Amino acid sequence: MFSPSQEEHCVPTKEPVKYGELVVLGYNGSLPNGDRGRRKSRFALYKRAKANGVKPSTVHILNTPQASKAVNCKGQHSISYTLSRNQTVVVEYSHDKDTDMFQIGRSTEGPIDFVVTDTVSGGGDGEDTPITQSTISRFACRVVCERNPPYTARIYAAGFDTSKNIFLGEKAAKWKNPDGHMDGLTTNGVLVMHPRDGFTEESKPGVWREISVCGDVYTLRETRSAQTRGKLVESESNVLQDGSLVDLCGATLLWRTADGLFHTPTQKHLEALRQELNAARPQCPVGLNTLAFPSMQRCSRALASGPTQEDKQPWVYLACGHVHGYHDWGHRSERDPNAQRECPMCRTVGPYVPLWLGCEPAFYVDTGAPTYAFVPCGHVCSEKSARYWAEIPLPHGTHAFHAACPFCTTQLNLTQKWAKLIFQEPVD
């Protein structure tokens, strides 16, 4: 028999409810200079000790700027829609005991839970490569999660600032819906893409849409900051699904649900795959030296410092996929020696790059062996993951879309987006 104190001691501590995680494309598991404070490469959303969600309540139509200030001074969350100098519609929001709200943006002020800065293509974390003018909004968007199962997460454009206000000025796209409620879009918009067939090896990319301040779904505007909104897509919603992508015009985030993360490969699994690759003792077909993929820590550091030429580091001729050790011959261009090299195995000419295992598990759609490399960056992952990401047109700048490596956001080659790796097994 347990004594009461022993019984209390044996009661398991309750695990906090995890709604899901947002992972920034391009940082391969962590920021090169370290994940610090609210600025990270990934952000886990947990059920809060006390609900902080809000929901629309009272609507005020105000004809003087003074009246608008008086309403906003009440310390209540509100969204202000400036229609003209003389007219502002203020929608007050009241406490919602059934939801938790998480805010994402470039601002480092208190209301922002997850600070996101512009992703530098090809790695780097923005500190060493300054962005002259960020296109990410200071209060970009908010994710609202239901506190009760199934813990549905919804995304909305814009976040509340330090005065608990979202302010849509005269120039912002805004309108009154047929049912009378106001809505609008942020300057560069919040785009969302839900994958078809979930985030699995059967997944196919969905269609990019824009999310309004009130969470409605619209087709894309003609340009990112055009005054005219797209068409309302009534058949779709702002509910985030496992594998949904959220683009903030400068950074793209991947949403993974708690259940989705449970079925995804872990760091341990990726490490086991790396060790399995190395245990097969792949050889350089020319130098006959044994090759070995660097550790996960080295993979992350490589984003910050650039590739190193180590004896065992596998390199690949991307045009044909033959894996070698580093060597210094076969140049076709003096200016950029690795851009055009002739493979000694098959004479194919193409880029010659080091291989790095993609070490952010959330980007994998399956647990398959890492046998494919993205072109031209050389990040290695499973075949189905490579094929999936190669099909996704990711927003780039304010008007372009192109496929990119999820681990470093380098734009993929238009004619050859990935290469199947051909390893030489040991001769002995």
Side-chain angles (χ1 to χ4, degrees), residues 140-368:
C141 68
R142 59 201 194 277
V143 173
V144 176
C145 302
E146 289 179 9
R147 288 171 63 84
N148 297 310
Y151 306 116
T152 305
R154 292 182 170 83
I155 187 157
Y156 300 82
F160 294 98
D161 62 18
T162 41
S163 59
K164 299 182 178 178
N165 185 236
I166 291 171
F167 181 80
L168 295 177
E170 273 187 77
K171 291 181 180 177
K174 57 189 136 12
W175 60 89
K176 184 184 275 191
N177 281 309
D179 63 2
H181 84 263
M182 294 294 300
D183 203 350
L185 304 172
T186 54
T187 306
N188 286 325
V190 172
L191 308 188
V192 172
M193 189 210 79
H194 304 303
R196 291 184 283 128
D197 302 319
F199 195 67
T200 66
E201 44 190 86
E202 306 304 323
S203 294
K204 293 287 176 196
V207 179
W208 283 101
R209 303 295 194 199
E210 181 162 11
I211 302 295
S212 73
V213 170
C214 293
D216 284 339
V217 181
Y218 288 85
T219 58
L220 301 188
R221 289 179 261 183
E222 274 192 27
T223 61
R224 195 86 191 222
S225 55
Q227 294 287 298
T228 312
R229 70 183 188 270
K231 291 180 180 174
L232 178 68
V233 186
E234 293 189 65
S235 59
E236 296 177 24
S237 81
N238 64 334
V239 173
L240 291 174
Q241 303 163 19
D242 190 35
S244 291
L245 289 169
V246 177
D247 187 80
L248 304 179
C249 194
T252 307
L253 314 178
L254 171 69
W255 169 257
R256 297 302 312 269
T257 61
D259 185 57
L261 288 166
F262 183 75
H263 293 98
T264 219
T266 60
Q267 283 283 3
K268 277 185 180 176
H269 178 77
L270 295 186
E271 177 58 22
L273 289 175
R274 184 184 78 87
Q275 290 180 12
E276 201 175 307
L277 273 175
N278 291 347
R281 293 173 56 232
Q283 283 191 340
C284 173
V286 177
L288 298 181
N289 54 311
T290 303
L291 306 174
F293 277 85
S295 68
M296 298 291 193
Q297 291 75 19
R298 290 265 344 281
C299 289
S300 296
R301 284 204 298 273
L303 275 173
S305 57
T308 55
Q309 293 171 12
E310 290 197 358
D311 291 343
K312 290 189 171 186
Q313 173 93 34
W315 283 61
V316 66
Y317 285 91
L318 287 171
C320 58
H322 282 115
V323 178
H324 288 67
Y326 183 77
H327 50 247
D328 206 9
W329 64 78
H331 304 308
R332 287 296 186 91
S333 159
E334 287 303 316
R335 201 173 54 188
D336 188 356
N338 292 330
Q340 292 297 309
R341 290 270 204 110
E342 183 180 279
C343 172
M345 297 292 287
C346 63
R347 302 291 182 201
T348 307
V349 175
Y352 180 59
V353 300
L355 291 174
W356 301 96
L357 192 63
C359 55
E360 172 47 72
F363 299 152
Y364 285 75
V365 298
D366 66 341
T367 55

Side-chain angles (χ1 to χ4, degrees), residues 36-111:
R36 299 191 293 268
R38 289 172 295 156
R39 187 163 179 263
K40 309 177 172 73
S41 58
R42 63 192 308 138
F43 174 62
L45 284 69
Y46 287 98
K47 185 175 183 178
R48 296 187 185 275
K50 188 181 174 186
N52 73 331
V54 291
K55 56 188 176 184
S57 57
T58 321
V59 178
H60 303 271
I61 298 172
L62 310 168
N63 298 318
T64 65
Q66 289 77 15
S68 173
K69 280 178 189 170
V71 169
N72 292 340
C73 279
K74 289 163 69 176
Q76 208 164 358
H77 286 85
S78 62
I79 301 181
S80 305
Y81 301 87
T82 304
L83 303 180
S84 67
R85 272 185 199 166
N86 302 322
Q87 193 176 57
T88 300
V89 176
V90 176
V91 180
E92 284 190 354
Y93 277 63
S94 58
H95 176 66
D96 182 0
K97 64 177 175 47
D98 296 320
T99 62
D100 285 337
M101 181 170 67
F102 303 87
Q103 300 210 136
I104 300 125
R106 181 171 48 87
S107 171
T108 54
E109 291 175 45

Side-chain angles (χ1 to χ4, degrees), residues 122 303 307 316 318 351 353-356 373-380 404-413 417:
L303 275 173
V316 66
L318 287 171
V353 300
L355 291 174
W356 301 96
F374 286 109
V375 177
C377 63
H379 274 106
V380 179
C405 167
F407 302 105
C408 66
T409 62
T410 296
Q411 181 175 348
L412 300 184
N413 192 311
K417 295 178 180 178

